[in-house]
């Protein structure tokens, strides 16, 4: 994973924009152009690691920013019977707060500790993807 | 006597009221009363009741009014907190969006450069 990120960073970002074209070889050629979806998938892998090691029974976890106003938390849990249960929670950013939307029409605005934890996770996500995927200093926005 | 549940309820409520009245902080003075009360024609009983209420609110921090005010302030603070954090989250999402767009543009440019390099 780390090497993949490093590779991607190297392919996506060139510190020296005046680098002669002849220096680019087939080896340096990006495998393909990255789409927004692919970048979100990469971010999601970083986002999943914000919360540490997966707890027992949790098979897969994703946390990512879908668009300006939407954050997604997705988890796949294996229950005692060995069945996989999926849970997706959508967090919608609204002017009056963060609306949590869960299956079966469960809606609630985040408050208290839950709100603060969510904001901390978002902050961590921003810092991690800035550094690890986009090669930028999260504080200054300048290339690392 | 009448065994109607309503009567019993009323009787129980009266009992509770009497007990509650006994627990009220004794009123040592009627400083809360002014000439205005007299002018308004409030009776002595009304004045005494009002003084008791004033005294209770002043000495009991859990008085209902204070509690309601406290709850309203907490609610207002929580609402402001939620607005502030929502704005912060939106701001971070905007920065992420910007980085994504730049990465997509850069990868596009890089590929174009590679294509040009290969042609030349």
């Amino acid at each position: 994973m780390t090497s993949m990120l490093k590779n991607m960073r190297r392919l996506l970002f060139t510190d020296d924009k005046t680098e002669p074209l002849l220096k680019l070889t087939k080896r340096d050629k990006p495998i393909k152009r990255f789409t927004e979806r692919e970048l979100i998938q990469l971010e999601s892998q970083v986002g999943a690691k914000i919360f540490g090691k997966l707890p027992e029974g949790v098979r897969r976890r994703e946390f990512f920013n879908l668009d300006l106003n939407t954050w997604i938390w997705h988890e796949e849990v294996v229950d005692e019977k060995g069945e996989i249960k999926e849970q997706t929670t959508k967090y919608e950013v609204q002017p009056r707060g963060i609306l949590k939307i869960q299956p079966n029409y469960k809606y609630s605005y985040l408050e208290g500790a839950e709100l603060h934890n969510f904001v901390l996770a978002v902050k961590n996500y921003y810092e991690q993807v800035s550094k690890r995927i986009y090669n930028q200093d999260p504080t200054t926005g300048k290339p690392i | 006597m009448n065994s109607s549940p309503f009567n019993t309820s009323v009787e129980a409520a009266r009992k509770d009221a009497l007990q509650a009245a006994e627990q009220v902080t004794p009123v040592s003075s009627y400083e809360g009363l002014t000439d205005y009360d007299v002018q308004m024609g409030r009776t002595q009983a009304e004045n005494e009741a009002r003084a008791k209420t004033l005294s209770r609110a002043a000495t009991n921090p859990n008085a209902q009014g204070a509690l309601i005010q406290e709850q309203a302030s907490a609610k207002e603070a929580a609402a402001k907190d939620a607005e502030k954090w929502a704005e912060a989250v939106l701001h971070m999402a905007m920065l992420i969006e910007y980085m994504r767009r730049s990465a997509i543009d850069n990868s596009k440019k890089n590929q174009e450069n590679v294509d040009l390099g290969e042609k030349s």
Side-chain angles (χ1 to χ4, degrees):
Chain A
M1 174 65 200
T2 316
S3 65
M4 190 182 91
L5 284 174
K6 272 186 188 168
N7 243 345
M8 193 201 131
R9 197 185 299 153
R10 187 169 55 81
L11 293 170
L12 276 179
F13 305 100
T14 46
D15 292 338
D16 182 7
K17 287 179 182 169
T18 58
E19 194 177 16
L21 290 174
L22 287 176
K23 269 196 170 180
L24 289 168
T25 64
K26 287 234 176 203
R27 211 175 147 217
D28 296 321
K29 184 177 176 177
I31 300 160
K32 58 178 176 172
R33 265 163 53 182
F34 282 92
T35 62
E36 186 173 18
R37 192 184 161 164
E38 286 162 339
L39 289 173
I40 291 173
Q41 280 172 347
L42 281 168
E43 286 179 22
S44 172
Q45 289 173 29
V46 174
K49 286 178 181 154
I50 289 173
F51 307 92
K53 217 176 158 187
L54 291 181
E56 203 178 329
V58 176
R59 208 176 73 133
R60 187 172 160 209
R61 178 183 275 169
E62 286 183 38
F63 177 66
F64 60 92
N65 168 252
L66 183 67
D67 57 44
L68 277 183
N69 299 306
T70 317
W71 292 79
I72 305 285
W73 167 275
H74 176 80
E75 213 170 56
E76 284 178 14
V77 182
V78 183
D79 67 11
E80 297 122 9
K81 292 175 188 170
E83 287 174 3
I84 299 165
K85 287 187 175 172
E86 291 186 28
Q87 166 117 3
T88 304
T89 306
K90 183 176 158 190
Y91 296 91
E92 215 173 87
V93 183
Q94 296 188 353
R96 61 168 284 195
I98 311 288
L99 182 67
K100 181 168 79 171
I101 303 164
Q102 286 182 305
N104 300 322
Y105 311 103
K106 283 186 198 163
Y107 301 90
S108 62
Y109 278 98
L110 295 187
E111 53 184 25
E114 191 181 10
L115 173 63
H116 291 173
N117 288 339
F118 175 79
V119 176
L120 281 179
V122 166
K123 187 173 177 278
N124 212 327
Y125 178 96
Y126 163 67
E127 287 172 353
Q128 294 293 321
V129 299
S130 294
K131 283 192 256 182
R132 297 179 61 186
I133 297 189
Y134 300 111
N135 204 25
Q136 282 190 19
D137 184 317
T139 319
T140 62
K142 289 180 179 167
I144 296 172
Chain B
M1 296 284 278
N2 196 336
S3 64
S4 158
F6 296 106
N7 281 344
T8 313
S9 296
V10 171
E11 189 57 32
R14 201 179 67 85
K15 224 175 185 179
D16 287 347
L18 282 172
Q19 278 175 355
E22 280 169 12
Q23 287 165 7
V24 169
T25 312
V27 182
S28 52
S29 68
Y30 294 148
E31 282 172 4
L33 297 175
T34 62
D35 289 340
Y36 181 70
D37 296 321
V38 181
Q39 284 169 20
M40 290 300 288
R42 286 180 184 144
T43 64
Q44 184 60 28
E46 282 172 336
N47 282 343
E48 280 178 14
R50 184 163 176 269
K52 272 187 182 179
T53 308
L54 286 169
S55 171
R56 203 184 325 180
T59 55
N60 182 1
N62 292 325
Q64 205 181 2
L67 195 66
I68 289 168
Q69 200 173 354
E70 205 176 299
Q71 282 169 343
S73 304
K75 213 173 170 183
E76 200 180 327
K80 276 186 184 165
D81 206 33
E83 281 175 21
K84 184 185 77 181
W85 290 124
E87 206 181 316
V89 169
L90 182 65
H91 181 70
M92 284 187 270
M94 284 165 82
L95 292 172
I96 292 165
E97 180 82 3
Y98 179 76
M99 289 191 293
R100 255 183 225 158
R101 294 274 150 243
S102 302
I104 292 167
D105 289 350
N106 282 348
S107 73
K108 191 181 164 188
K109 277 179 199 163
N110 279 354
Q111 185 151 24
E112 282 169 4
N113 286 344
V114 170
D115 292 345
L116 278 172
E118 279 180 350
K119 274 182 191 171
S120 62

